[in-house]
Amino acid sequence: MKKSDIHAQMRRERDSKRLLDQARQYVYEYIDAVDERPVFPDERAIRNLDRFDEPLPERSQSGSGTLDMLNTYGAPGTVAQTGGRYFGFVNGGVVPTALAARWMADAWDQNPALYVISPVVGKLEQVCENWLCELLGLPDGTVAGYVSGSSTATLCGLTAARYELFRRLDWDVNAKGLFRAPPIRVIVCHQAHSSVFKVLALLGLGKDRIERVPADSQGRIDSSRIPALDDRCLLLLQAGNVNTGAFDRFEEICDPARKNDAWVHVDGAFGLWVKASPARKALAKGVELADSWSVDGHKTLNTPYDCGIVLCRQRDSLVAAMQASGDYIQYSDHRDGMMHVPEMSRRARVVDLWATLRYLGRDGVAALIDGMCERAVQFAEQLAIHRFRILNEVVFNQVLVAGHTPAQTRDILANIQASGVCWCGGTQWDDEPAIRISVSSWATTPEDVDRSVEAFVDARSKAMPDHSDAGQNSAMTSPPGKNPKLSS
Ligand SMILES: Cc1ncc(COP(=O)(O)O)c(C=O)c1O
């Protein structure tokens, strides 16, 4: 093809919409099959990914052939996380209205940096900010920044905290950096998510320089061990431990922290949504007393990827920390997205967040969260009846499961992962390996849990038949019936 022909061809493809029709067909097929295909790609699908190892084409390739390649070799290599039996990480499913809205936003191809670049995105960012504060019970005036995920949201929250703590010490960290800066203190629980430690390293606050506080048996920060706080302190708390789902005791901790002017940031990647459930919001009572929060839309709320949100009580601190200027940057009297985030150009992810919140409404969000918690309890109760050990108090969407011995647990996990029926991840809890179940999709039904529990029983029988039989009478197992660690 001649160089100039590519433009004519793209114009024809845009106008005919044939490629979009083709993609839509593939998407329909994918959605129709997702519940019955292996949850993790089988060996052939993984092998076929090698088909992508081709040299960069010298010449333009067919658009239709490109989509076909994605469908033939890409789709089978995906993890079926939009089906009902993916429990590996807190990945979340996808709300259909939000997916459709994302398609529209993709066609619009907007950049939310400035109001003058996309008025509609500026408007929706503002609307979602108000809705989120209302839904999560956060203070009036809290601002939101829309980023790729909780890691970046935490980066934004802690950058705002760093700016403010140094400002109080008469030190402009934006201008002077950390060289010879007066000391500030960072206090973190041992059980904080790894992304928090990564962010502290990125910000020059030093993973090893911080003060680490021990956790209790559920991974909550031990509030009795938090050192005395003052206005030089940044304290990190957690709404939803990544293993157990446990919530820090915010009321007990945040109230004195506020009185002493410490900055409190809450990593609420998946757990902050508990505030939107009238039945469960007491689990995070007092979280609204913090100064900044990070939360993901793509986890518990089931927006499409990627959607992280930083929320900050003090607009000025966040805006000062994210400041950028340039002769050509044209700020407006409206919302200019880039003032709240590190990036200038971004995806207009707020469109699908807005669609999710509008579609679900208050009741729908609560039902989504409650459904996940109920499925987690169902999982734990049924596994306990089958004499698996449940290692955590199941308060939210997380269940930690173990066999009778560490070796058996590892075998069960490997068999589950190979089963194709469901997929769970592994972790280390209380010095022993554990299987981690995260219920995070609206698509998980009670029948999905039944099928998955059967897969656990099957995986154990294949793992160690002898131990499994012995386990039927083992003193290590939980008694059948209602497990005291479950709260429905
Ligand atoms: C508690 C917690 N914090 C932070 C993160 C990081 O979030 P993201 O992957 O959206 O950056 C996760 C991810 O699972 C998490 O569970």
Side-chain angles (χ1 to χ4, degrees):
M1 190 188 304
K2 279 195 275 151
K3 264 188 197 161
S4 57
D5 289 350
I6 189 75
H7 297 95
Q9 180 173 315
M10 285 195 284
R11 191 156 286 113
R12 275 197 305 278
E13 284 165 349
R14 184 192 66 184
D15 294 346
S16 77
K17 300 161 198 85
R18 266 188 308 114
L19 293 175
L20 291 174
D21 282 340
Q22 186 183 343
R24 189 174 60 169
Q25 191 53 42
Y26 290 152
V27 169
Y28 286 4
E29 285 164 19
Y30 185 87
I31 291 173
D32 286 343
V34 78
D35 271 329
E36 290 314 318
R37 52 160 289 192
V39 176
F40 193 84
D42 58 26
E43 272 176 37
R44 181 156 176 264
I46 298 282
R47 252 197 333 273
N48 277 339
L49 294 177
D50 292 346
R51 302 281 186 134
F52 290 103
D53 289 330
E54 54 180 10
L56 173 67
E58 287 299 330
R59 308 214 174 282
S60 165
Q61 302 292 300
S62 131
S64 171
T66 302
L67 296 183
D68 183 58
M69 191 165 167
L70 269 184
N71 187 53
T72 308
Y73 303 117
T78 60
V79 166
Q81 70 179 40
T82 55
R85 294 185 308 282
Y86 180 79
F87 308 109
F89 295 85
V90 194
N91 275 3
V94 66
V95 169
T97 300
L99 175 61
R102 175 163 182 176
W103 280 9
M104 291 174 67
D106 281 349
W108 297 348
D109 195 27
Q110 298 291 283
N111 178 358
L114 296 169
Y115 186 82
V116 292
I117 304 181
S118 180
V120 62
V121 176
K123 169 58 88 179
L124 294 181
E125 288 203 348
Q126 186 60 60
V127 169
C128 283
E129 183 176 285
N130 297 340
W131 285 0
L132 288 166
C133 290
E134 218 181 297
L135 195 61
L136 300 173
L138 301 181
D140 287 347
T142 296
V143 287
Y146 304 94
V147 291
S148 56
S150 271
S151 303
T152 315
T154 300
L155 177 72
C156 296
L158 298 198
T159 309
R162 188 182 69 163
Y163 177 84
E164 174 59 18
L165 293 179
F166 280 120
R167 190 196 61 76
R168 292 176 192 166
L169 294 164
D170 215 12
W171 186 267
D172 180 352
V173 72
N174 286 353
K176 298 180 184 170
L178 294 174
F179 305 103
R180 301 208 187 91
I184 59 170
R185 292 168 60 206
V186 181
I187 296 125
V188 188
C189 177
H190 269 299
Q191 278 284 337
H193 190 263
S194 56
S195 59
V196 167
F197 296 105
K198 182 182 192 171
V199 166
L200 289 169
L202 286 172
L203 284 175
L205 296 172
K207 282 188 201 173
D208 294 340
R209 190 188 158 279
I210 57 184
E211 297 167 49
R212 295 189 190 225
V213 181
D216 70 10
S217 68
Q218 298 302 308
R220 287 177 291 241
I221 191 167
D222 180 346
S223 27
S224 68
R225 310 279 290 273
I226 297 175
L229 300 173
D230 59 32
D231 63 355
R232 292 174 174 226
C233 291
L234 165 59
L235 172 65
L236 284 126
L237 299 179
Q238 188 164 247
N241 176 282
V242 74
N243 283 311
T244 65
F247 293 79
D248 285 345
R249 297 192 164 86
F250 300 109
E251 203 174 24
E252 190 181 316
I253 302 167
C254 292
D255 199 32
R258 277 201 81 65
K259 288 190 178 122
N260 290 302
D261 285 331
W263 182 294
V264 179
H265 178 86
V266 177
D267 170 9
F270 63 93
L272 196 61
W273 295 107
V274 78
K275 290 280 284 178
S277 157
R280 292 177 167 78
K281 66 180 180 190
L283 283 168
K285 192 157 182 235
V287 77
E288 64 283 357
L289 298 170
D291 297 276
S292 54
W293 305 262
S294 30
V295 64
D296 275 326
H298 55 231
K299 292 191 168 66
T300 316
L301 189 65
N302 284 204
T303 68
Y305 271 79
D306 49 16
C307 179
I309 306 146
V310 58
L311 294 145
C312 188
R313 178 192 285 270
Q314 293 189 37
R315 178 182 186 278
D316 291 352
S317 307
L318 184 65
V319 170
M322 299 294 148
Q323 65 165 270
S325 56
D327 292 340
Y328 76 108
I329 296 177
Q330 195 182 328
Y331 288 117
S332 70
D333 295 334
H334 301 274
R335 188 193 161 88
D336 291 308
M338 63 178 278
M339 293 176 77
H340 308 97
V341 296
E343 308 98 319
M344 189 166 185
S345 303
R346 285 174 294 143
R347 181 173 92 72
R349 53 178 68 90
V350 78
V351 175
D352 18 295
L353 174 63
W354 169 83
T356 309
L357 292 171
R358 184 174 192 278
Y359 167 75
L360 290 173
R362 230 182 247 284
D363 283 359
V365 176
L368 188 73
I369 294 158
D370 292 341
M372 290 170 196
C373 298
E374 284 157 20
R375 296 289 77 75
V377 168
Q378 178 194 348
F379 230 128
E381 282 182 350
Q382 293 187 8
L383 287 170
I385 288 169
H386 286 286
R387 296 179 182 276
F388 285 88
R389 287 183 302 133
I390 307 302
L391 304 182
N392 65 319
E393 291 169 13
V394 182
V395 294
F396 200 55
N397 68 330
Q398 298 290 118
V399 186
L400 287 179
V401 189
H404 306 300
T405 63
Q408 192 195 42
T409 301
R410 281 190 211 99
D411 269 9
I412 295 169
L413 178 59
N415 290 342
I416 291 273
Q417 291 185 343
S419 74
V421 177
C422 65
W423 204 92
C424 302
T427 190
Q428 193 73 12
W429 189 251
D430 247 357
D431 291 331
E432 68 166 311
I435 302 168
R436 196 170 148 265
I437 299 172
S438 305
V439 185
S440 64
S441 174
W442 66 267
T444 299
T445 61
E447 293 72 34
D448 282 317
V449 175
D450 291 343
R451 257 178 92 174
S452 303
V453 169
E454 276 171 32
F456 266 76
V457 172
D458 192 44
R460 182 176 58 191
S461 70
K462 286 179 182 145
M464 293 189 168
D466 295 339
H467 287 222
S468 172
D469 290 347
Q472 299 291 319
N473 304 310
S474 163
M476 282 175 71
T477 55
S478 308
K482 188 98 183 147
N483 187 304
K485 289 187 171 175
L486 311 181
S487 60
S488 36

